């Protein structure tokens, strides 16, 4: 290697440096992986689509914590491609506002220079950021119902921009769940109704925190009233439309949520509807009750059978849960087409308390199904050309049988309050036993009694021997009666003949015994029902007062 002279060394050291031949970058590019960094308040902005609109109820608590301890966890930040500032990635707008306020108050550098965790802007950045803020706000401090509704509505817009087509509610629920913010489809339906129909009329109440339960009740009421309005107004010229009427009714209630009452809105709405339609208020209210019941059943989330027990066993000592209030019976659905009588001309209907009480009296045991399943079965039946009977709707119509006699039967199970005493029950039981025996021409074999279940059986006094059918009837009545004055020996055995007496015989010859007539069978069932209630009252006298 040749020696370098001092002159050569000086020349090399004094030579001009290398020059950059490319453009100079104005700033460094963003990291491509998660990277801790320190940013200033001037560089960090809140997320513009943050669903939180109202003041965080924990604002002062969070501020006090940051003042004393600083930020326990660095906020997650990101930056849109080409943007000149960073934004909060998910759930940190409240903390950023507090830092700005503390910096303005104290000028402390720890509130100005903020340690953060940078995350690159993802491919679906806007949707990921929005769902992230929704989930984070739910986790810390919660959102009002209207804030969630507006956030979900904005998410729907972003999803539709992404896919280029409108989304159904079920598809929107699926996509929200996939992006980390699960919402039930029924809740999405209520949210969309709230944004569309309620927010323009009562913004003050909604933004001040009207709860989900009240919002859903209001949405169900609006839907039920709209369906009823369309049904009544069909073919009739009216001075106003439903949307205008609903807005006029609801607008005066735009006050503080603590004094807002869905019940008052309901009363006012039904009253103005009754005036506009020229119908009776009470009948209209019953119809709204029925439609609301169906709407809640269809829209409510599935539940276990134990959560949906609609009634209890009908015994005086039952401790099972009380039934849910019944909707109006079909008899009270007084909304026929124009040729039928008007609403105000129809007969009166029972009060709601009486409806609930009578519903309870007709429930023998809890059902192993849910209201939602019953509603779906009803809708499927209607689409298939049939109609599934709904117990809560048909309960007041009585069991569809009728039997004449001294005490006509229109309902086998229900016991009127005036009949619900031991003395009167015995009178009815004895009369039914007498009429059943009359079918077998054995009227003299049944005598009323002031003890037991109300009657006693006597041996036949007539000369000729009773027919096989007569002996079977007498054996059945004797088995029911506790008191009788006939020898226990008998050639008739109930276990051998009960089936033939109640069902009939498959034999077709003339010697085959007859079966009890339909009329007698209804009376037998009614007798058994009354006798069971009588024995319950005898065992628990206090129940008679209830």
């Amino acid at each position: 290697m040749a020696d370098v002279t001092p002159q050569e060394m000086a020349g090399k050291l004094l030579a001009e440096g290398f020059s950059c031949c490319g453009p100079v970058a104005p700033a460094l590019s963003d990291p491509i992986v998660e990277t801790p960094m320190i940013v200033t308040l001037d560089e960090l902005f809140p997320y513009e689509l943050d669903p939180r609109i109202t003041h965080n109820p924990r604002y002062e608590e969070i501020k006090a914590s940051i003042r004393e301890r600083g930020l326990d966890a660095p906020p997650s930040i990101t930056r849109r491609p080409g943007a000149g500032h960073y934004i909060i990635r998910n759930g940190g707008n409240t903390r950023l506002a507090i830092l700005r306020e503390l910096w303005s108050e104290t000028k402390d550098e720890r509130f100005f220079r903020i340690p953060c965790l940078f995350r690159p802007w993802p491919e679906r950045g806007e949707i990921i950021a929005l769902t992230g803020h929704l989930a984070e706000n739910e986790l810390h401090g919660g959102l009002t119902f209207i804030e969630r509704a507006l956030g979900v509505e904005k998410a729907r817009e972003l999803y539709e921009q992404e896919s280029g087509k409108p989304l159904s509610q079920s598809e929107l629920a699926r996509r929200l769940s996939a992006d980390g913010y699960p919402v039930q489809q029924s809740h999405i339906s209520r949210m969309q109704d709230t944004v569309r129909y309620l927010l323009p009329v009562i913004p003050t109440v909604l933004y001040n925190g009207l709860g989900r339960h009240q919002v859903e009740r209001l949405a169900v009421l609006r839907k039920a009233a709209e369906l009823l309005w369309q049904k009544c107004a069909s073919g009739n010229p009216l001075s106003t439309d439903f949307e205008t009427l609903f807005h006029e009714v609801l607008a005066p209630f735009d006050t503080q949520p603590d004094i807002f009452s869905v019940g008052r809105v309901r009363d006012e709405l039904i009253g103005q509807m009754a005036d506009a339609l020229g119908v009776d208020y009470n009948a209209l209210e019953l119809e709204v009750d029925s439609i609301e019941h169906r709407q809640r059943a269809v829209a409510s989330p599935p539940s276990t059978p134990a959560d949906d027990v609609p009634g209890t066993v009908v015994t005086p000592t039952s401790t099972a849960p009380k039934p849910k209030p019944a909707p109006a019976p079909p008899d009270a659905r007084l909304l026929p087409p124009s040729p039928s009588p008007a609403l105000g001309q129809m007969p009166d209907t029972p009060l709601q308390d009486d409806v609930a009480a009578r519903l309870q009296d007709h429930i023998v045991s809890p059902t192993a199904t849910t209201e939602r399943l019953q509603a779906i079965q009803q809708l499927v039946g209607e689409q298939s050309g049939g109609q599934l009977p709904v117990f809560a709707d048909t309960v007041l119509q009585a069991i569809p049988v009728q039997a004449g006699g001294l005490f006509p039967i229109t309902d086998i199970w229900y016991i009127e309050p005036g009949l619900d005493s031991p003395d009167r029950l015995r009178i009815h039981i004895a009369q039914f036993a007498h009429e059943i025996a009359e079918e077998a021409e054995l009227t003299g074999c049944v005598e009323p009694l002031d003890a037991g279940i109300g009657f006693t059986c006597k041996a036949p006094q007539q000369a000729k021997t009773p027919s096989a059918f007569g002996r079977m009837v007498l054996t059945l009545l004797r088995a029911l009666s506790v008191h009788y004055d006939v020898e226990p020996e008998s050639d008739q055995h109930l276990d051998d003949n009960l089936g033939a007496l109640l069902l009939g015989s498959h034999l077709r010859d003339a010697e085959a015994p007859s079966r009890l007539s339909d009329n007698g069978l209804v009376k037998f069932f009614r007798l058994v029902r009354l006798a069971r209630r009588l024995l319950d009252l005898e065992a628990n006298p206090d129940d008679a007062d209830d």
Side-chain angles (χ1 to χ4, degrees):
M1 182 178 189
D3 294 335
V4 179
T5 64
Q7 291 78 10
E8 293 175 337
M9 180 66 70
K12 291 182 179 296
L13 291 175
L14 295 175
E16 293 184 1
F18 293 102
S19 61
C20 180
C21 58
V24 178
L28 294 176
S29 62
D30 290 332
I32 60 174
V33 295
E34 291 186 3
T35 305
M37 62 173 56
I38 295 179
V39 298
T40 65
L41 292 179
D42 296 336
E43 300 173 307
L44 184 59
F45 285 64
Y47 177 59
E48 304 88 338
L49 302 181
D50 184 20
R52 183 181 296 283
I53 300 173
T54 58
H55 187 71
N56 191 325
R58 298 181 56 209
Y59 187 91
E60 295 300 328
E61 176 186 344
I62 298 172
K63 181 179 178 180
S65 174
I66 294 177
R67 183 194 299 272
E68 297 298 327
R69 300 164 51 89
L71 289 175
D72 289 332
S76 176
I77 64 174
T78 188
R79 180 157 56 181
R80 295 184 179 91
H85 61 270
Y86 300 98
I87 59 172
I88 298 293
R89 185 177 186 272
N90 56 338
N93 282 3
T94 297
R95 285 177 288 171
L96 179 59
I98 290 173
L99 288 171
R100 292 185 183 279
E101 191 172 312
L102 289 174
W103 164 249
S104 176
E105 294 174 358
T106 66
K107 299 301 180 182
D108 191 333
E109 282 289 323
R110 64 192 181 105
F111 300 134
F112 182 73
R113 301 183 180 276
I114 312 164
C116 300
L117 179 63
F118 176 86
R119 291 183 176 179
W121 183 259
E123 182 181 356
R124 302 172 61 243
E126 295 295 349
I127 293 175
I128 298 302
L130 177 58
T131 53
H133 277 272
L134 282 167
E136 191 72 16
N137 276 300
E138 288 283 9
L139 196 61
H140 300 94
L143 297 170
T144 63
F145 185 85
I146 188 60
E147 288 173 335
R148 288 197 299 272
L150 290 171
V152 169
E153 185 67 12
K154 185 61 180 179
R156 181 188 62 79
E157 294 177 8
L158 294 177
Y159 283 128
E160 290 182 351
Q161 291 175 8
E162 182 182 50
S163 62
K165 60 180 181 179
L167 295 184
S168 65
Q169 293 177 358
S170 58
E171 177 64 15
L172 176 57
R174 188 192 67 79
R175 295 200 180 197
L176 286 171
S177 180
D179 286 331
Y181 187 66
V183 183
Q184 293 178 357
Q185 185 269 330
S186 59
H187 289 176
I188 292 177
S189 176
R190 294 285 181 261
M191 289 174 178
Q192 291 182 351
D193 286 348
T194 302
V195 173
R196 179 178 179 182
Y197 300 113
L198 303 184
L199 183 58
V201 192
I202 52 171
T204 303
V205 171
L206 290 172
Y207 283 128
N208 276 280
L210 191 66
R212 179 179 65 85
H213 178 67
Q214 288 182 294
V215 171
E216 291 186 348
R217 284 184 58 197
L218 199 56
V220 170
L221 170 63
R222 194 207 65 82
K223 184 64 174 177
E226 182 181 26
L227 292 174
L228 194 56
W229 179 274
Q230 293 173 354
K231 188 175 182 180
C232 293
S234 178
N236 299 325
L238 299 174
S239 59
T240 184
D241 60 277
F242 177 78
E243 288 300 325
T244 302
L245 177 70
F246 183 75
H247 284 200
E248 291 176 352
V249 169
L250 193 58
F253 292 93
D254 191 23
T255 56
Q256 295 299 320
D258 53 348
I259 61 174
F260 182 85
S261 171
V262 178
R264 292 173 54 199
V265 175
R266 188 176 187 276
D267 290 341
E268 184 66 22
L269 179 60
I270 294 175
Q272 293 202 25
M273 286 178 61
D275 292 340
L277 296 171
V279 297
D280 179 68
Y281 174 94
N282 293 326
L284 194 64
E285 182 181 26
L286 288 172
E287 179 67 12
V288 170
D289 283 342
S290 178
I291 299 177
E292 283 181 321
H293 175 77
R294 289 182 178 276
Q295 290 291 323
R296 283 191 294 265
V298 173
S300 62
S303 55
T304 61
D307 295 330
D308 290 292
V309 174
T312 181
V313 177
V314 183
T315 56
T317 58
S318 174
T319 58
K322 294 183 179 180
K324 299 177 182 177
D331 302 60
R333 296 182 179 180
L334 312 175
L335 300 172
S338 53
S340 302
L343 246 161
Q345 300 172 347
M346 300 302 287
D348 294 335
T349 54
L351 296 175
Q352 196 68 14
D353 292 343
D354 296 337
V355 172
R358 192 164 183 181
L359 171 63
Q360 181 179 10
D361 288 340
H362 277 78
I363 297 174
V364 178
S365 62
T367 60
T369 184
T370 65
E371 289 183 357
R372 178 172 173 79
L373 177 59
Q374 292 173 1
I376 293 174
Q377 291 173 339
Q378 177 71 26
L379 293 177
V380 171
E382 292 174 355
Q383 293 296 324
S384 303
Q387 187 170 7
L388 181 70
V390 179
F391 171 73
D393 291 346
T394 60
V395 63
L396 301 187
Q397 290 183 317
I399 297 176
V401 294
Q402 192 176 82
L406 183 61
F407 302 121
I409 300 171
T410 56
D411 191 323
I412 292 177
W413 190 259
Y414 183 65
I415 299 176
E416 298 81 0
L419 176 59
D420 199 24
S421 66
D423 293 340
R424 292 195 56 80
L425 288 171
R426 286 192 178 95
I427 294 173
H428 281 243
I429 291 170
Q431 179 62 31
F432 289 137
H434 177 83
E435 294 176 5
I436 293 172
E438 190 175 8
E439 285 196 15
E441 300 179 352
L442 295 173
T443 54
C445 297
V446 176
E447 292 185 359
L449 194 68
D450 293 334
I453 65 170
F455 70 90
T456 183
C457 292
K458 298 288 186 178
Q461 299 298 321
Q462 55 193 23
K464 66 176 183 178
T465 304
S467 64
F469 173 68
R471 294 194 301 271
M472 291 163 55
V473 170
L474 188 58
T475 302
L476 177 63
L477 294 176
R478 185 184 300 153
L480 295 178
S481 176
V482 177
H483 300 272
Y484 51 87
D485 301 327
V486 70
E487 301 83 10
E489 293 79 7
S490 174
D491 60 350
Q492 292 293 109
H493 299 284
L494 191 60
D495 56 349
D496 296 335
N497 301 286
L498 182 60
L501 180 62
L502 299 181
L503 305 179
S505 175
H506 64 282
L507 301 176
R508 296 302 179 186
D509 54 41
E511 297 182 358
S514 303
R515 70 178 182 181
L516 204 60
S517 68
D518 293 343
N519 191 51
L521 187 64
V522 172
K523 293 175 181 178
F524 172 71
F525 288 150
R526 181 63 171 170
L527 184 156
V528 172
R529 165 62 175 147
L530 298 183
R532 289 163 61 92
R533 177 58 178 164
L534 171 62
L535 296 178
D536 288 337
L537 290 178
E538 292 283 328
N540 302 278
D542 293 339
D543 288 339
D545 297 334
D546 296 335

